[in-house]
Amino acid sequence: MYYSSLNKVTLTFLLVLFSFFSLAQTKSELPPILDYYPNCSYEVVDKTKIKIITDTPLSIKIVKSLLDKIKVRAKNANADAVILTAKKVKKYRDPKGIVNTSFLVRYHAELINLCEENSNKKRKRTPLNHQGNKVTDIKSNTIFTYNETVTIAIAIASKVIVKRPTMSNDEVSLKHGVYGVNIGSSYQHVINVLGEPSVKLKVMVDEVVLGYGRRHWFYFQSDKLMKIQNNSAYLSQDMVNKVPPLDFFDDFLWQINQQVVYKMLLSDVKSALNITAKLNNQDQLVLKDHENTLTLNFIFNRDQRSLEKSYELIGFTLKANNYKQNKQRIAVRSKAQFKVIDHLYSQLRNSQEIQKDKLLEQLGAPIGFISLSRYSDLNIYNNNLLVLMKKEQFNKLYLIENALINEQSHGWSLGEIKQGISVEKSQKYLDKEAIFLFDKAEVHTDNYALSLMFEELEGKNVVYEAQIAIY
């Protein structure tokens, strides 16, 4: 009896330990959540759903926790990737049928194996993106509602046609830097060599970040280049997806020491670089000299039969040894900026003349921008406020959920319309001419157009994004 009880305790401890270990896996080990369906016949390994009871169903931490658990399930099923198929949020009823103040949040997902894609075929968006949000496509969409079809046009992130130097240097190394740009180079020198950036950010105090395409980010402090890496540390993935792809920079053409390339196996990387070091606990190889550190990032795949891991190189970070990330964010003027937007909305509803130059002056300087084309930029003012500029003129205003990573946000507001408000309640604050579609409401007047985007929460639609075009 004693041994039986001891075995049960031991087994329980091991199960708990295994569960904890699974959830603690690094992000690089977990299969990704796809924003697009593969355009080939992929295999559905399994279907799963996961839920949580919470008082804060809109919390980013809650959603991230659920999505991470789905990724862990995908990993344990030896799946390559995840497709989120549905999200349900409703009032929670306890076992006695009593409705309380908590919510039940549930995600449904397919765990899939990838296939060889046909690059000539168009790709279809998944119902929910990798952040667990309903997709608002950044192109012309057809939305079906009742017996009519409505086509709405939304700005698309296309390739930027900008005159820039022809890139021929694809080397990444401790000695020669990245593409002929060395750590310690001046801000202007980097622009002279690489051309105008796709993105410019001033999120941290005394730091400027330039982005080239979606995969190259250059960090400057005191006008000196201090770090280069493949992933954005500040923009949310939804914002990164708005950055137009840039030839060369988004084509994975880089070579480490002219020998090691993207997706090369770990064993081949170590052989080519003649090193015996092991991966650290973040699945990285770290190379260092007296001035700089080059970190190579890996992700693993698991053989379905042998269950053995094979690691592939997916990115790099090159930084000065004395680089210290500044943790102090630039103070944003969110409250003051939303007061400006509230006043703007009031003026529009009362058919008053809008002075766009004065409006921009009141908003103050943006903390960053994304270059969408030769003539248009998407200015970032705070975590929720974006302004589309065309030919340096105010064109459109976006109120979104999250533009930045790890930014404390209280949501956006537009007069009485606030992020998370129910569609029914929002009707009180819209013109009688408002058109309500399946997941969108539109107001069209002579001087402006307003669009509200909805998502399901508690069995009802709530507002999560707004757009205003000013004529």
Side-chain angles (χ1 to χ4, degrees):
M1 181 70 68
Y2 171 78
Y3 289 108
S4 176
S5 299
L6 182 61
N7 287 338
K8 288 181 179 179
V9 171
T10 304
L11 178 60
T12 301
F13 172 76
L14 290 174
L15 288 174
V16 171
L17 183 63
F18 177 76
S19 175
F20 173 80
F21 176 76
S22 296
L23 290 174
Q25 299 296 310
T26 61
K27 292 181 180 179
S28 63
E29 295 177 339
L30 301 177
I33 295 174
L34 303 182
D35 289 334
Y36 292 87
Y37 285 102
N39 59 9
C40 52
S41 298
Y42 60 89
E43 175 191 3
V44 178
V45 177
D46 197 4
K47 294 183 179 180
T48 189
K49 56 186 177 182
I50 198 161
K51 64 182 179 181
I52 193 171
I53 298 169
T54 176
D55 293 334
T56 55
L58 292 177
S59 165
I60 296 174
K61 289 183 178 179
I62 292 294
V63 172
K64 183 179 182 302
S65 173
L66 290 172
L67 299 187
D68 283 348
K69 288 178 180 178
I70 291 175
K71 291 179 184 179
V72 170
R73 289 188 181 183
K75 176 179 177 295
N76 293 337
N78 295 318
D80 295 330
V82 174
I83 293 175
L84 298 177
T85 56
K87 176 184 179 182
K88 303 292 182 183
V89 181
K90 62 181 181 180
K91 279 282 189 180
Y92 173 66
R93 294 177 181 269
D94 67 17
K96 294 182 180 180
I98 300 174
V99 179
N100 55 37
T101 58
S102 298
F103 295 87
L104 177 66
V105 182
R106 179 186 286 113
Y107 279 97
H108 296 248
E110 292 180 343
L111 316 180
I112 72 167
N113 280 336
L114 299 175
C115 47
E116 186 173 351
E117 298 199 44
N118 185 339
S119 59
N120 295 323
K121 288 184 178 180
K122 292 184 178 180
R123 303 182 72 192
K124 180 183 176 183
R125 285 184 174 271
T126 55
L128 300 161
N129 64 17
H130 68 281
Q131 292 181 319
N133 298 323
K134 274 190 176 181
V135 172
T136 302
D137 209 347
I138 52 172
K139 60 182 181 181
S140 179
N141 275 348
T142 300
I143 295 179
F144 297 94
T145 172
Y146 301 106
N147 295 322
E148 61 179 345
T149 303
V150 181
T151 302
I152 51 179
I154 303 174
I156 185 170
S158 56
K159 285 194 174 182
V160 177
I161 304 174
V162 178
K163 187 175 181 180
R164 62 177 62 255
T166 301
M167 299 298 298
S168 57
N169 186 336
D170 59 6
E171 182 182 10
V172 174
S173 71
L174 281 168
K175 184 177 181 181
H176 300 120
V178 176
Y179 311 149
V181 172
N182 290 314
I183 295 295
S185 296
S186 70
Y187 179 92
Q188 189 57 51
H189 176 72
V190 172
I191 291 179
N192 291 343
V193 174
L194 304 181
E196 291 296 326
S198 308
V199 182
K200 182 176 179 179
L201 298 172
K202 293 181 179 179
V203 177
M204 296 297 184
V205 173
D206 297 326
E207 182 179 80
V208 177
V209 180
L210 300 184
Y212 286 82
R214 300 177 180 181
R215 306 183 192 281
H216 288 76
W217 304 88
F218 295 74
Y219 295 71
F220 295 84
Q221 293 178 348
S222 301
D223 195 49
K224 283 187 177 183
L225 178 62
M226 300 298 288
K227 183 173 75 167
I228 308 165
Q229 65 180 30
N230 287 133
N231 61 300
S232 171
Y234 301 134
L235 285 185
S236 69
Q237 189 58 49
D238 281 347
M239 291 298 293
V240 172
N241 291 343
K242 295 181 186 296
V243 180
L246 195 59
D247 287 345
F248 181 84
F249 291 98
D250 286 317
D251 293 338
F252 298 101
L253 298 176
W254 45 267
Q255 297 189 62
I256 309 294
N257 293 3
Q258 297 294 333
Q259 296 175 301
V260 173
V261 297
Y262 174 65
K263 284 202 170 183
M264 181 177 279
L265 292 176
L266 173 62
S267 56
D268 295 332
V269 172
K270 294 172 71 171
S271 176
L273 299 180
N274 192 27
I275 57 178
T276 58
K278 295 182 179 181
L279 294 178
N280 62 18
N281 58 7
Q282 294 180 298
D283 293 341
Q284 298 170 331
L285 281 180
V286 180
L287 311 177
K288 193 172 184 178
D289 63 16
H290 63 286
E291 292 183 346
N292 303 317
T293 299
L294 176 61
T295 303
L296 308 184
N297 301 303
F298 292 81
I299 190 171
F300 78 73
N301 296 309
R302 192 190 296 273
D303 186 274
Q304 293 188 13
R305 293 184 178 180
S306 67
L307 300 181
E308 290 185 359
K309 299 177 182 178
S310 60
Y311 288 85
E312 294 178 341
L313 177 65
I314 60 166
F316 65 86
T317 298
L318 178 65
K319 65 179 181 179
N321 291 339
N322 62 347
Y323 169 76
K324 292 183 179 180
Q325 182 178 4
N326 195 332
K327 296 182 180 180
Q328 183 182 357
R329 290 195 172 226
I330 290 178
V332 294
R333 303 175 55 250
S334 301
K335 290 184 179 180
Q337 288 165 339
F338 283 128
K339 285 184 179 179
V340 173
I341 300 305
D342 286 348
H343 182 62
L344 165 68
Y345 185 48
S346 176
Q347 288 180 302
L348 290 172
R349 296 195 71 184
N350 292 303
S351 300
Q352 296 178 10
E353 183 180 354
I354 304 299
Q355 297 181 357
K356 295 182 178 180
D357 290 343
K358 186 176 180 180
L359 171 64
L360 292 174
E361 182 180 334
Q362 291 173 330
L363 289 176
I367 58 174
F369 73 84
I370 298 174
S371 180
L372 299 177
S373 73
R374 184 179 294 181
Y375 304 109
S376 62
D377 292 327
L378 190 61
N379 285 356
I380 304 168
Y381 284 88
N382 59 51
N383 192 39
N384 307 104
L385 176 60
L386 313 175
V387 172
L388 177 64
M389 304 289 294
K390 285 193 174 182
K391 295 183 178 179
E392 300 183 352
Q393 297 294 317
F394 182 103
N395 183 265
K396 197 170 186 178
L397 155 60
Y398 297 86
L399 298 171
I400 67 171
E401 290 185 299
N402 289 291
L404 305 173
I405 298 173
N406 298 327
E407 180 76 7
Q408 185 177 3
S409 174
H410 301 291
W412 56 262
S413 61
L414 185 64
E416 297 297 328
I417 301 172
K418 304 182 188 302
Q419 182 180 333
I421 193 175
S422 69
V423 173
E424 289 78 14
K425 196 171 182 180
S426 71
Q427 287 180 283
K428 300 177 183 179
Y429 310 117
L430 294 176
D431 295 339
K432 294 181 180 179
E433 294 78 13
I435 302 171
F436 282 79
L437 308 175
F438 174 69
D439 59 355
K440 184 176 184 179
E442 292 186 331
V443 176
H444 294 277
T445 71
D446 291 338
N447 61 331
Y448 77 97
L450 168 67
S451 299
L452 300 180
M453 280 61 172
F454 311 141
E455 67 178 349
E456 186 178 312
L457 178 67
E458 194 188 341
K460 297 180 181 180
N461 282 331
V462 299
V463 177
Y464 73 92
E465 184 173 313
Q467 301 175 10
I468 301 180
I470 302 176
Y471 304 135

